[in-house]
């Protein structure tokens, strides 16, 4: 991946006048300790703050200093580590309740903090949403869908519901980086946004033949 | 008036470099960096178009348009406030106004929009 990047950089420099494109190989390893120190200084402790969220795990660190273009070896390391991080519902059932999955898919609520507008405590009891529409088209009925991820409309129609498909879908939603290192998709189960059971509900929403996704 | 970020002092250069580094720093429950949403053309969150900080035309349009009247807030806001808003959506704690981190981000984004002509008053969502 790194060599490909270098090539891309050479091409960019040769043909573009901006020379400052996002696909140029970036590496912040040298200045990373300064970036960390700056972050520590810029997010003061206080009521309603959770500074632990600024602490990076190994995967976040690698993806940051490489600007999401890890070397081949780093990518393999991330995928292996994130695969191990996947947890499953105690029942072992990876296809949950698609109706609950539908609600979780469209809700973007949860985990916002700070002094100005933290998520209201009363609403927090309803739990977090999966925020899928921020990045994906899902149900054909919902038009307000983002495009950062591929369309999931009709997701189950052509894939069927074989054990492999169910397992892949569950694991992908639980921890996107178990398949794509430095993916822009949040590690929704691993980061504690949704529980294993909730991820299984969304899996059912994407795959069930009765789900609106597949009509 | 064109945006002319000064780079004559070593600290100014450093702020731009650190700002770019912070722009790519992934953290928080969503694994987001600013770059997750603002480093590619044609991206949207739901129906909201996202500025690409590496597209000169795009970022110039953005940076020359602040401060702005934000219709959704009924107030004039500055760019730093908009970044605070993004930061909140990233599920991070509050970034302090005027902190080194906030200034570094603005320094980086202003550098990306260098020579853009200030285009205010303006109005945004």
């Amino acid at each position: 991946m790194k060599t490909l990047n270098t090539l891309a950089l050479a091409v960019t420099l040769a043909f573009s006048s901006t020379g400052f494109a996002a696909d140029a190989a970036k590496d912040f390893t040298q200045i990373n300790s300064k970036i960390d120190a700056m972050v520590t200084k810029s997010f003061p402790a206080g009521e309603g703050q959770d500074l632990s969220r600024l602490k990076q795990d190994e995967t976040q660190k690698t993806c940051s200093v490489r600007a999401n273009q890890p070397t081949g070896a780093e990518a393999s390391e991330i995928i292996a580590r994130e695969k191990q991080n996947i947890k499953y519902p105690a029942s072992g059932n990876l296809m949950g309740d698609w109706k609950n999955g539908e609600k979780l898919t469209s809700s973007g609520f949860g985990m916002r903090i700070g002094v100005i507008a933290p998520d209201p405590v009363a609403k927090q009891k309803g739990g977090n949403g999966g925020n899928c529409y921020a990045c994906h088209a899902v149900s054909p009925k919902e038009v307000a869908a983002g495009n950062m991820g591929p369309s999931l409309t009709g997701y189950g129609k052509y894939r069927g519901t074989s054990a492999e498909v169910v397992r892949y879908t569950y694991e992908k939603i639980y921890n996107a980086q178990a398949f794509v290192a430095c993916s822009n998709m949040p590690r929704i189960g691993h980061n504690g946004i949704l529980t294993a059971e909730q991820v299984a509900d969304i899996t059912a929403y994407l795959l069930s033949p009765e789900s609106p996704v597949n009509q | 008036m064109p945006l002319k970020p000064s780079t004559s002092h070593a600290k100014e250069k450093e702020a731009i470099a650190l700002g770019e580094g912070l722009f790519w720093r992934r953290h928080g429950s969503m694994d987001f960096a600013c770059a997750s949403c603002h480093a590619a053309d044609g991206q949207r969150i739901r129906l909201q178009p996202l500025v690409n900080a590496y597209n000169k035309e795009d970022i110039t349009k953005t940076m020359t348009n602040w401060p702005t009247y934000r219709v959704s807030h009924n107030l004039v806001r500055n760019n730093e406030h908009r970044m605070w808003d993004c930061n909140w959506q990233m599920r991070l704690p509050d970034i302090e106004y005027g902190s080194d981190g906030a200034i570094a981000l603005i320094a980086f984004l202003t550098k990306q929009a260098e020579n853009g002509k200030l285009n205010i008053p303006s109005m945004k969502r």
Side-chain angles (χ1 to χ4, degrees):
Chain A
M1 262 184 181
K2 219 53 209 177
T3 32
L4 255 176
N5 262 342
T6 318
L7 203 72
L9 173 65
V11 172
T12 310
L13 291 181
F15 296 109
S16 103
S17 52
T18 52
F20 219 52
D23 51 4
K26 293 187 186 306
D27 190 336
F28 302 110
T29 314
Q30 296 301 319
I31 58 170
N32 197 39
S33 61
K34 282 192 170 170
I35 297 168
D36 281 344
M38 182 173 77
V39 166
T40 305
K41 272 179 67 186
S42 304
F43 291 82
E47 180 154 359
Q49 312 297 338
D50 174 4
L51 299 186
S52 73
R53 294 193 188 180
L54 297 166
K55 204 170 144 36
Q56 297 176 298
D57 68 12
E58 288 306 312
T59 296
Q60 289 175 330
K61 262 186 222 164
T62 304
C63 297
S64 301
V65 297
R66 297 289 190 206
N68 293 333
Q69 307 277 345
T71 64
E74 286 165 345
S76 312
E77 211 174 282
I78 287 171
I79 287 172
R81 178 168 56 234
E82 299 303 331
K83 274 226 156 74
Q84 288 205 317
N85 280 338
I86 299 176
K87 301 208 167 52
Y88 302 88
S91 67
N93 188 4
L94 304 185
M95 278 274 263
D97 167 8
W98 73 257
K99 288 191 175 145
N100 193 44
E102 181 168 43
K103 285 188 209 132
L104 294 165
T105 299
S106 40
S107 165
F109 180 81
M111 304 190 91
R112 299 188 191 98
I113 57 172
V115 286
I116 306 177
D119 284 330
V121 177
K123 249 184 117 186
Q124 280 173 32
K125 297 205 172 80
N128 301 325
N131 233 331
C132 313
Y133 282 105
C135 302
H136 294 283
V138 193
S139 164
K141 282 184 246 154
E142 175 59 79
V143 292
N147 65 359
M148 282 173 58
S151 168
L152 302 173
T153 306
Y155 182 87
K157 219 187 216 162
Y158 308 105
R159 295 177 201 234
T161 51
S162 67
E164 297 78 60
V165 167
V166 172
R167 195 179 174 82
Y168 162 72
T169 305
Y170 174 89
E171 291 180 341
K172 178 71 195 179
I173 302 169
Y174 192 93
N175 193 330
Q177 296 201 45
F179 300 91
V180 177
C182 299
S183 168
N184 268 335
M185 176 160 156
R187 292 167 294 171
I188 289 162
H190 177 63
N191 288 353
I193 298 161
L194 297 179
T195 64
E197 286 73 18
Q198 290 173 319
V199 171
D201 290 348
I202 298 182
T203 303
Y205 180 58
L206 291 187
L207 289 173
S208 294
E210 308 89 74
S211 161
V213 174
N214 300 313
Q215 303 311 311
Chain B
M1 192 173 91
L3 297 178
K4 287 269 180 212
S6 161
T7 51
S8 54
H9 196 287
K11 284 286 178 195
E12 290 169 336
K13 276 204 200 97
E14 184 175 57
I16 292 167
L18 293 180
E20 183 172 27
L22 179 52
F23 190 80
W24 287 90
R25 189 180 199 269
R26 298 183 68 167
H27 38 201
S29 325
M30 295 287 186
D31 291 325
F32 282 147
C34 309
S36 309
C37 295
H38 296 298
D41 283 332
Q43 285 193 326
R44 294 190 322 262
I45 282 278
R46 286 230 168 201
L47 296 181
Q48 297 170 28
L50 300 165
V51 57
N52 176 0
Y54 291 91
N55 177 322
K56 179 89 186 174
E57 201 183 318
D58 217 14
I59 190 67
T60 300
K61 231 192 234 162
T62 286
M63 296 307 285
T64 52
N65 254 327
W66 290 89
T68 196
Y69 181 79
R70 282 196 72 183
V71 185
S72 56
H73 295 205
N74 263 320
L75 279 172
V76 173
R77 298 285 198 196
N78 64 10
N79 195 336
E80 193 171 0
H81 185 277
R82 173 67 249 188
M83 291 187 337
W84 172 87
D85 222 350
C86 287
N87 203 74
W88 173 78
Q89 288 288 9
M90 291 164 78
R91 275 71 175 172
L92 295 181
D94 296 323
I95 185 164
E96 188 165 45
Y97 275 61
S99 61
D100 289 359
I103 289 171
L105 281 171
I106 291 175
F108 162 63
L109 294 175
T110 307
K111 180 71 184 165
Q112 295 295 83
E114 190 164 21
N115 297 323
K117 295 212 171 44
L118 210 56
N119 184 22
I120 48 175
S122 76
M123 198 156 99
K124 291 188 202 228
R125 201 181 57 81

